Amino acid sequence: MGWLDGSLGHALMADEQALVQGLLNEFPPFPASLGIAPHSYAPVLDAITERSRWSSVLAPAAGSALAADPGAMPRPQSLVWGLPEALPFPSGRLDLVVLVHALEFSRSPYRILAETERVLAPNGRVLVLTFNPLSLFGLVHPWLRRLRSAGPWPGRFLTTPHVRRMLESTGLVPERSRYVFLRPPLVRERTLRACRFMERVPGRRRLPWGAVGCVEARKDEPGVTLLGPAFRAELAGSRKAGVPAYSCDNRS
């Protein structure tokens, strides 16, 4: 049985699905999208498909620690073969890319983001979900990393400020950050239910202590410099000589 088949995996994935669905519902349907996630993240991938006219799924081998039992879920029909570090799409092809824990398990996370920036069309969107070290998951991560080979523990947890800097380094523009799952990583379903009160904190998705952080970013369209009337007159050759384009008088 895979990690996602357990109570903790189910509860965490349900919160991630609700988060992704809520963020994507604020935009009109995307013409073309790509979800990079283990195919056992079917609920999250379904949320992406619902908001896309055309969607694909790429399941990285590096995220196999998060995968469920291979026979538990059918393989998505939109599954494409390739590597997150070398996406099999032409430049500017996609309008949405969702990275579900792809960075934590990759040896080249910057390369994944660079490829994401390449395949995004101008004004395209990207959502990056990562496990957060500033959470109760992160508190036990140094110990469980040595003891567990399944689940999020073998991965490299990343804070959202770090992810934002990574996005900026590839030319993407980070916008908002959101968080989910304030509960501790308890395995038993009964104890998880007992901790539901932690999810009733007002504004919990803005608190940077959730087990999973999500950063939304966009790819800027090449900028256009808007010229004022004085500059347009100067370019047209109709401005009077000796008259500055804008007043140099610094009046307070």
Side-chain angles (χ1 to χ4, degrees):
M1 184 176 73
W3 186 78
L4 286 176
D5 297 318
S7 300
L8 179 58
H10 271 297
L12 180 61
M13 186 164 53
D15 279 9
E16 290 176 311
Q17 177 194 8
L19 174 64
V20 171
Q21 200 163 28
L23 292 175
L24 297 184
N25 283 343
E26 299 180 11
F27 299 97
F30 294 89
S33 69
L34 171 67
I36 301 178
H39 72 268
S40 49
Y41 265 80
V44 178
L45 297 173
D46 288 343
I48 301 170
T49 303
E50 289 175 2
R51 301 300 301 165
S52 308
R53 298 189 181 96
W54 178 89
S55 64
S56 294
V57 176
L58 191 150
S64 59
L66 284 175
D69 183 356
M73 291 189 178
R75 179 173 294 176
Q77 295 182 354
S78 56
L79 186 68
V80 297
W81 298 99
L83 297 172
E85 296 85 358
L87 295 175
F89 294 95
S91 300
R93 173 68 176 84
L94 303 174
D95 303 281
L96 171 68
V97 177
V98 181
L99 302 173
V100 183
H101 306 300
L103 303 184
E104 304 100 295
F105 297 93
S106 172
R107 294 182 179 180
S108 305
Y110 282 92
R111 182 62 185 169
I112 293 178
L113 293 180
E115 278 292 281
T116 299
E117 190 276 337
R118 179 186 67 81
V119 300
L120 276 177
N123 295 321
R125 295 274 165 175
V126 57
L127 298 181
V128 183
L129 279 73
T130 57
F131 287 105
N132 179 20
L134 305 178
S135 65
L136 294 176
F137 274 56
L139 187 64
V140 299
H141 178 239
W143 290 273
L144 293 182
R145 186 176 187 177
R146 304 172 185 175
L147 302 175
R148 306 281 178 85
S149 60
W153 316 118
R156 182 177 58 256
F157 287 18
L158 301 170
T159 63
T160 50
H162 187 189
V163 174
R164 295 176 74 90
R165 290 193 295 270
M166 294 172 70
L167 289 164
E168 289 173 347
S169 72
T170 59
L172 296 168
V173 181
E175 294 185 338
R176 52 187 170 176
S177 300
R178 295 293 183 266
Y179 306 85
V180 293
F181 209 85
L182 295 173
R183 287 176 279 177
L186 302 172
V187 177
R188 295 184 179 180
E189 185 176 359
R190 183 177 179 181
T191 52
L192 274 175
R193 287 200 305 265
C195 294
R196 281 181 182 173
F197 69 93
M198 301 178 69
E199 306 294 347
R200 302 191 187 102
V201 178
R204 66 187 183 280
R205 288 190 173 175
R206 297 177 183 269
L207 299 176
W209 308 308
V212 174
C214 177
V215 180
E216 179 187 333
R218 74 177 189 277
K219 181 176 180 177
D220 263 350
E221 196 170 4
V224 177
T225 302
L226 299 178
L227 299 179
F231 282 112
R232 288 199 297 269
E234 183 176 357
L235 290 175
S238 59
R239 186 171 63 85
K240 295 181 181 180
V243 179
Y246 289 102
S247 174
C248 298
D249 187 10
N250 296 328
R251 297 180 181 178
S252 55

